[in-house]
Amino acid sequence: MNTNEKTIEKFDKHVAHSYGRYPLAMKKGSGRRCVDENGKVYIDLGSGIGTNSLGYCDEKWADAVCEQVRTLQHNSNYYYTEVQAEFAEKLCDTAGYSSVFFGNSGAEANECAIKVARKYSFDKYGKGRHNIITLVNSFHGRTMATLSATGQDVFHNYFFPFLEGFINVEANNIDDLKAKLDDTVCAVMIEYVQGEGGVNALSKEFVDAVYELCAPKDILVIADEVQTGVGRTGKFLAGDNYGKKADITTLAKGIAGGLPMGACLMNEKCSGVLTPSTHGSTFGGNPIACAGGIAVLERVTSEGFLDEVNKKAEFIKTKLENCSEVVSVSGLGLMIGIQLKSKKAADAAREALDRGLLVLTAKDKVRLLPPLTIDYDELRDGLDILIGILEE
Ligand SMILES: *Cc1c(COP(=O)(O)O)cnc(C)c1O
């Protein structure tokens, strides 16, 4: 039995089987490559589903995190910490928001957004205006509320009853949106690029309509940027690509370079909604995660960084569009969906593992979320492997 297999046997015996896992155990990583327990090296074009935004064990990030571990690893949110204050200030300034609530995951960030939207409406208009419109094919998380918000029937099983108060509208269907935006609605929640739903960017017309229709009715716009945020789409927020700023934006995945961190950003209008004891999280804003977050922010906002993200995105797109098996390339920036002609995305992803490449899938597409720091040699090597598989 090789070491991968020993780990897998122990793991499967004791860890819940809630994932269909690939049969390999990761040991370590450096830069944009990781190594499994048998010593096999992989180029990573998935970055832990977009979490390892600076790649594996980036030196400055690791130094910042380790220093914080040895200084103050955690304290209750009943006290203040400088590192949380600094991260909050940098994040709000960069993203253009007034305040932030910190949790530990995307689902928690969205839970917070849902609570803020409902309480904003209740405080101002009283009961009965609690519905939140979410989009068909969206994905907002795995907790009961965020599952209920998720606009995919496959997720609405087993765990009945789901939370009331979510109404689904078809993405890019302005008439459907108009018909459902009645006076029971307090918010519309969107992903500018639906990630798990298949890497589909919303049309500019639809996004414009969301904002135009919501504003006069004081209906909040919530942008779930858990996957699209923090530089992933070539702008700090994906909303910047559309020239739009939601009332509430949620972030997680890449925000702290691979540490658990979720953020619910609120504009001025929403910033007074959360009052003492209306929301909380024991670990939210954990100092170590905040230190990691500051390191990520410093890099992503450094001169020329996002231009490079956009250039790499173009490089990938051009290379893929020259592949005969590729029907189309979707997404924005380094969030890429690849529609295949005849091959199955899941088969391609499995074959890629054999050849030392990590890629993701989303619905029937191959999905790439490379570390934002990936270089052209690594991209070339990774894409050559992928294209080799596709063209076989
Ligand atoms: C991944 C994801 C979530 C859930 O994040 P978790 O950290 O897994 O809770 C929510 N929304 C979007 C858009 C995501 O991509």
Side-chain angles (χ1 to χ4, degrees):
M1 202 186 276
N2 64 36
T3 46
N4 268 346
E5 282 163 6
K6 268 189 224 151
T7 296
I8 290 166
E9 188 180 292
K10 195 194 294 189
F11 196 110
D12 277 343
K13 195 164 169 201
H14 297 289
V15 179
H17 292 192
S18 60
Y19 285 87
R21 292 178 224 273
Y22 295 109
L24 70 97
M26 267 333 157
K27 177 96 174 168
K28 58 185 179 180
S30 171
R32 274 67 61 185
R33 287 183 164 84
C34 54
V35 184
D36 75 12
E37 291 191 352
N38 296 328
K40 183 170 174 171
V41 180
Y42 302 82
I43 296 177
D44 189 354
L45 297 186
S47 62
I49 318 187
T51 56
N52 296 336
S53 41
L54 305 183
Y56 291 97
C57 309
D58 175 84
E59 222 157 280
K60 277 192 184 151
W61 171 88
D63 285 347
V65 168
C66 290
E67 195 184 320
Q68 188 61 48
V69 171
R70 295 182 187 285
T71 308
L72 179 81
Q73 85 277 29
H74 189 65
N75 212 300
S76 162
N77 273 310
Y78 287 112
Y79 310 110
Y80 293 88
T81 55
E82 190 191 355
V83 67
Q84 189 177 144
E86 193 187 330
F87 184 44
E89 181 184 59
K90 276 201 162 72
L91 186 59
C92 287
D93 285 353
T94 305
Y97 282 86
S98 302
S99 67
V100 58
F101 176 88
F102 289 123
N104 311 283
S105 66
E108 278 177 87
N110 286 337
E111 285 274 345
C112 179
I114 291 164
K115 284 179 73 175
V116 169
R118 284 190 170 178
K119 185 167 182 295
Y120 172 84
S121 188
F122 176 80
D123 288 348
K124 214 162 158 184
Y125 304 101
K127 279 190 177 170
R129 194 177 177 276
H130 57 260
N131 285 325
I132 297 178
I133 288 184
T134 61
L135 301 185
V136 173
N137 232 5
S138 57
F139 180 79
H140 297 299
R142 299 285 192 165
T143 61
M144 285 306 299
T146 57
L147 267 187
S148 305
T150 291
Q152 300 187 52
D153 290 339
V154 290
F155 287 103
H156 299 159
N157 258 310
Y158 320 121
F159 310 111
F160 306 102
F162 287 88
L163 210 69
E164 284 175 43
F166 295 97
I167 298 168
N168 294 149
V169 159
E170 240 178 76
N172 297 330
N173 185 336
I174 297 172
D175 290 335
D176 194 22
L177 176 67
K178 275 185 186 155
K180 288 168 182 166
L181 266 185
D182 60 23
D183 57 10
T184 68
V185 175
C186 65
V188 174
M189 185 168 182
I190 57 172
E191 296 158 86
Y192 290 106
V193 186
Q194 294 189 329
E196 305 306 309
V199 200
N200 295 311
L202 295 181
S203 73
K204 175 136 191 359
E205 293 70 32
F206 184 74
V207 171
D208 284 346
V210 167
Y211 281 84
E212 275 160 27
L213 294 167
C214 286
K217 296 181 171 172
D218 195 22
I219 293 171
L220 302 177
V221 179
I222 303 171
D224 177 349
E225 294 228 29
V226 166
Q227 191 162 152
T228 57
V230 197
R232 174 57 56 189
T233 68
K235 300 272 190 191
F236 187 75
L237 296 179
D240 298 336
N241 290 296
Y242 291 83
K244 293 284 187 279
K245 180 93 45 205
D247 297 287
I248 301 171
T249 286
T250 57
L251 301 172
K253 290 206 164 82
I255 191 174
L259 293 174
M261 162 63 73
C264 176
L265 291 160
M266 293 161 280
N267 67 6
E268 209 173 330
K269 190 156 109 169
C270 297
S271 279
V273 172
L274 294 180
T275 49
S277 84
T278 53
H279 199 44
S281 163
T282 300
F283 280 115
N286 168 272
I288 300 166
C290 285
I294 292 169
V296 169
L297 277 187
E298 280 174 353
R299 192 75 54 84
V300 171
T301 58
S302 66
E303 180 79 29
F305 186 92
L306 291 177
D307 293 338
E308 268 307 304
V309 167
N310 284 310
K311 279 187 207 148
K312 287 174 213 167
E314 270 314 302
F315 175 83
I316 296 173
K317 210 166 171 231
T318 308
K319 232 170 138 52
L320 286 172
E321 281 172 350
N322 285 325
C323 169
S324 58
E325 172 62 17
V326 173
V327 176
S328 61
V329 182
S330 64
L332 261 181
L334 287 179
M335 182 170 178
I336 292 160
I338 310 165
Q339 186 79 56
L340 304 179
K341 229 171 245 166
S342 56
K343 291 213 160 59
K344 286 212 161 67
D347 294 342
R350 221 170 294 115
E351 180 63 29
L353 280 185
D354 284 345
R355 304 196 197 180
L357 175 71
L358 304 183
V359 298
L360 306 164
T361 60
K363 293 272 150 81
D364 57 349
K365 290 180 186 168
V366 173
R367 174 173 45 152
L368 308 182
L369 296 171
L372 304 179
T373 51
I374 196 157
D375 68 32
Y376 288 95
D377 283 340
E378 293 158 337
L379 271 182
R380 215 169 276 125
D381 290 350
L383 290 173
D384 282 347
I385 295 173
L386 180 61
I387 289 168
I389 292 166
L390 296 182
E391 289 186 338
E392 222 152 60

